[in-house]
Amino acid sequence: MDFENILIDKEGYIAIITIDRPKKLNALNRITISELHKAFAQLENDREIRVIILTGSGEKAFVAGADISEFAGFSPAQGEQLASEGQELLFNFVENLSTPVIAAINGFALGGGLELALSCHFRIASDNAKLGLPEVSLGVIPGYGGTQRLPQLAGRGKAMEMIVTGAMIDAKEAERYHLVNRVVPVEELLDLSIKIAGRIANNSPVAISYAIKAVNAGFKNNALGFATEIESFGACFGTEDFREGTTAFLEKRKAKFTGTR
Ligand code: COA
């Protein structure tokens, strides 16, 4: 299958998916989300593939978030639909795959980009990586599971700090807070990811699929959290602050929030 915004390489039992919109720092637009869904579904059903590595094109970004230019004019209902469809097609979909997915974070992992990495089964980062959930600086909240998955990994206090400040952390701090398992120089990132993937590929795919199911089952009692996130994300789209935040980003200026709902 030919894709516009992603590349797939296969080496033995390992598939590498590269999100390939480097000029837009690999931001997730609608097409990219749909292509990623198709690629993950295809690889999940490919008996030759036992591990998937997900990374971004270029040295600057893994993914710099959802594509702001695509949703800036959305209504609350469209915002809610964006979050729920995205969660179903990509974020929950990846988390629940029986093929393990390693995020190889090679630069900025912001907003939807960090949320995508958090949906993967674990994460390795390059030493130039920067991670954050900057949504509140745009007048919106994380809508792809970030309010649920970040506290699971980093703890509630650190997650809350990251979400309400919108600030980025570097790779070392991300390692300290368990967002990433290892940090390596950027030129070693793929090699290490492939090495770890190789170890996984020697094990029983059936046992691995049951292990993922069991680990995930322990975190399934937050359905209300995900539903509240989707509803609150949609609500932001009806606010003056959201219009100001997204317009300011697109006009490359700092937002001036008034707190108007
Ligand atoms: N959505 C849409 N376009 C994006 C994007 C996003 N999330 N992130 C980056 N881009 C685009 C920029 O608009 C720019 O496009 P242009 O060259 O056509 O103007 C291009 O990618 C390069 O980004 P730029 O901002 O010029 O790079 P930088 O090195 O100065 O800054 C970032 C890098 C990551 C700090 C900055 O791009 C940024 O803040 N991005 C948005 C992050 C965000 O808020 N994500 C959450 C979205 S919900």
Side-chain angles (χ1 to χ4, degrees), residues 23-25 27 60 64 66-68 108 110 134 138 249 252:
K23 285 190 181 144
K24 293 289 175 188
L25 304 186
K60 206 166 165 186
D67 192 319
I68 298 163
F108 289 115
L110 302 176
L138 295 162
F249 177 81
K252 300 188 186 290

Side-chain angles (χ1 to χ4, degrees), residues 155-176:
R156 192 154 80 165
K158 187 64 185 175
M160 199 65 98
E161 180 191 329
M162 287 179 67
I163 291 168
V164 300
T165 63
M168 295 182 213
I169 59 173
D170 64 20
K172 273 288 163 202
E173 191 171 356
E175 187 180 29
R176 205 158 60 240

Side-chain angles (χ1 to χ4, degrees), residues 100-158:
V101 183
I102 305 172
I105 304 175
N106 57 310
F108 289 115
L110 302 176
L114 177 55
E115 291 172 297
L116 182 55
L118 295 174
S119 300
C120 295
H121 298 101
F122 61 93
R123 292 143 289 283
I124 316 277
S126 58
D127 51 9
N128 65 334
K130 293 255 193 285
L131 295 78
L133 292 178
E135 284 85 348
V136 293
S137 70
L138 295 162
V140 67
I141 66 165
Y144 287 142
T147 66
Q148 305 306 301
R149 293 192 183 96
L150 186 60
Q152 286 170 5
L153 280 169
R156 192 154 80 165
K158 187 64 185 175

Side-chain angles (χ1 to χ4, degrees), residues 133-260:
L133 292 178
E135 284 85 348
V136 293
S137 70
L138 295 162
V140 67
I141 66 165
Y144 287 142
T147 66
Q148 305 306 301
R149 293 192 183 96
L150 186 60
Q152 286 170 5
L153 280 169
R156 192 154 80 165
K158 187 64 185 175
M160 199 65 98
E161 180 191 329
M162 287 179 67
I163 291 168
V164 300
T165 63
M168 295 182 213
I169 59 173
D170 64 20
K172 273 288 163 202
E173 191 171 356
E175 187 180 29
R176 205 158 60 240
Y177 283 96
H178 311 292
L179 268 70
V180 302
N181 296 9
R182 314 251 188 112
V183 178
V184 287
V186 67
E187 59 279 7
E188 292 171 26
L189 181 66
L190 268 192
D191 285 349
L192 177 66
S193 305
I194 291 169
K195 196 169 149 198
I196 296 172
R199 263 183 234 146
I200 296 171
N202 288 333
N203 296 326
S204 154
V206 182
I208 285 173
S209 73
Y210 282 122
I212 291 173
K213 197 172 165 188
V215 172
N216 284 351
F219 293 91
K220 291 276 185 221
N221 57 359
N222 54 357
L224 180 62
F226 280 99
T228 305
E229 182 189 90
I230 290 171
E231 197 185 305
S232 309
F233 180 81
C236 292
F237 282 65
T239 67
E240 197 47 56
D241 273 0
F242 173 74
R243 267 183 292 281
E244 166 61 11
T246 48
T247 308
F249 177 81
L250 296 172
E251 291 176 355
K252 300 188 186 290
R253 64 171 171 83
K254 201 168 163 13
K256 281 197 201 121
F257 292 118
T258 59
T260 311

